[in-house]
Amino acid sequence: MTMEGKTVLVTGSTGGIGKETARQLAGLGAGVILVGRDENRADAAVADLRRSSGNESVMAITADMSRLRDVHRLAEEVGTRIGGVDVLINNAGATRSHRELTEDGIETAFAVNVVAPFCLTHWLMPALTASGPARVINITGGIPRGRIDLTNLQGEKSYVGLSFYNQTKLAQMAMSYRFAQELETTRVTLNVAYPGHAYTSMNKNLATSSYPPPARPIVPLLRLAMPVVYGHRALLRATRSSVYLASSPEVQDTHGTYFNSKAAPTPWPAAVLDETTRNTIWELCATQRDRLTT
């Protein structure tokens, strides 16, 4: 399998699952664009991936995915400097120990996990259609099941970090399901990949208050166990579904499908199938997109 001549953009790719995904795709010959917030970390990631993959076609663009002006600038820069994008992997994720609002007035985890991939995909659509057929892969995470509380969609009523993170990933899936419907008549496919669990910078420094109250007494034990149970091997396993969806000819025409951590199609969570929920999340995201561009 080769990705020679393909251009892949991976958000949240200067560390963790995103970086390992980018490394594997660079190893397949793709031109890879890394996206991260910190310029020094991005430069180090570029050097690391070029060295380990033997592929010099790795570059980075810095952007903070919690800021819509940065997301918009990222899309414009890609369009100007790169032109076409064959694969967009919306991997960047965020969780917080307490509720924080971004400069756009959006709860931070919701902004990064839901609004940013929605807006970036919209704003990159000219670059994706220029390459067509193109693929969009949205990376979910956490434990994406249960309900989506539309009255607490941005943690307005209650907020427990990891529980809310799980809800934002469900909300991202609901947005993705609706987005796939919008793309039915285009040459751009959109699918969702569940990576499974891995020990990354996002979860290693979580405050105890981020965990649901019943789990808090065992947090010290979890911190000792996670690097062992969810270390490097788990990190590599967590790239399986996204690399498969980005590179395999078997799924070139697969669209609107949810893939589990073993890269197998799996049923959508019940909450995602509720049309009212999907439409509410879509409209909220669209409002944020339009506020910046009108």
Side-chain angles (χ1 to χ4, degrees):
M1 186 187 304
T2 180
M3 291 195 72
E4 295 283 349
K6 302 293 186 182
T7 298
V8 181
L9 186 150
V10 188
T11 66
S13 50
T14 58
I17 295 171
K19 183 179 178 183
E20 293 309 312
T21 299
R23 189 193 308 278
Q24 293 189 49
L25 295 173
L28 293 173
V32 178
I33 307 167
L34 308 179
V35 180
R37 290 178 298 172
D38 183 88
E39 185 174 0
N40 291 332
R41 193 176 180 194
D43 289 343
V46 168
D48 179 20
L49 265 62
R50 285 178 176 175
R51 181 175 58 252
S52 65
S53 69
N55 183 349
E56 290 296 311
S57 297
V58 180
M59 62 173 289
I61 298 175
T62 54
D64 185 338
M65 301 306 288
S66 72
R67 299 176 176 176
L68 287 182
R69 59 187 171 96
D70 269 27
V71 178
H72 191 257
R73 175 182 55 78
L74 169 63
E76 288 190 322
E77 188 169 344
V78 169
T80 300
R81 292 176 57 186
I82 311 300
V85 173
D86 298 279
V87 181
L88 166 62
I89 303 179
N90 286 306
N91 167 82
T95 184
R96 292 290 185 270
S97 59
H98 59 277
R99 188 173 188 263
E100 299 176 8
L101 299 183
T102 69
E103 66 181 25
D104 302 294
I106 313 168
E107 191 284 321
T108 301
F110 193 88
V112 176
N113 301 339
V114 188
V115 180
F118 171 91
C119 288
L120 183 59
T121 304
H122 267 284
W123 291 330
L124 276 180
M125 199 54 60
L128 290 163
T129 54
S131 289
R135 309 182 190 192
V136 177
I137 303 148
N138 289 343
I139 308 300
T140 187
I143 306 173
R145 58 176 181 261
R147 62 188 292 263
I148 298 173
D149 185 355
L150 294 180
T151 68
N152 194 45
L153 201 53
Q154 295 194 59
E156 300 93 336
K157 295 195 307 181
S158 64
Y159 196 96
V160 176
L162 282 176
S163 298
F164 187 75
Y165 173 78
N166 291 338
Q167 175 171 282
T168 64
K169 285 301 188 176
L170 267 178
Q172 182 214 65
M173 294 172 73
M175 176 274 290
S176 301
Y177 190 105
R178 167 69 187 272
F179 213 136
Q181 292 177 321
E182 297 287 323
L183 296 176
E184 285 286 356
T185 60
T186 73
R187 299 183 69 204
V188 179
T189 63
L190 188 154
N191 296 290
V192 172
Y194 179 67
H197 300 289
Y199 188 59
T200 68
S201 59
M202 189 176 75
N203 54 38
K204 67 174 60 174
N205 296 317
L206 281 176
T208 300
S209 60
S210 299
Y211 292 80
R216 289 173 188 171
I218 64 168
V219 167
L221 182 61
L222 290 174
R223 287 182 175 146
L224 290 174
M226 285 184 70
V228 178
V229 178
Y230 297 120
H232 187 64
R233 288 185 180 179
L235 191 62
L236 293 178
R237 287 196 300 271
T239 69
R240 185 185 309 174
S241 55
S242 54
V243 170
Y244 174 71
L245 284 170
S247 63
S248 175
E250 296 177 357
V251 289
Q252 178 174 318
D253 298 318
T254 301
H255 181 61
T257 304
Y258 174 38
F259 285 76
N260 63 21
S261 60
K262 296 181 180 179
T266 195
W268 292 92
V272 173
L273 300 178
D274 183 82
E275 186 175 7
T276 298
T277 296
R278 293 198 304 267
N279 291 342
T280 299
I281 294 167
W282 179 271
E283 289 162 9
L284 190 157
C285 291
T287 297
Q288 295 299 328
R289 175 201 62 197
D290 296 344
R291 182 185 59 78
L292 191 72
T293 54
T294 57

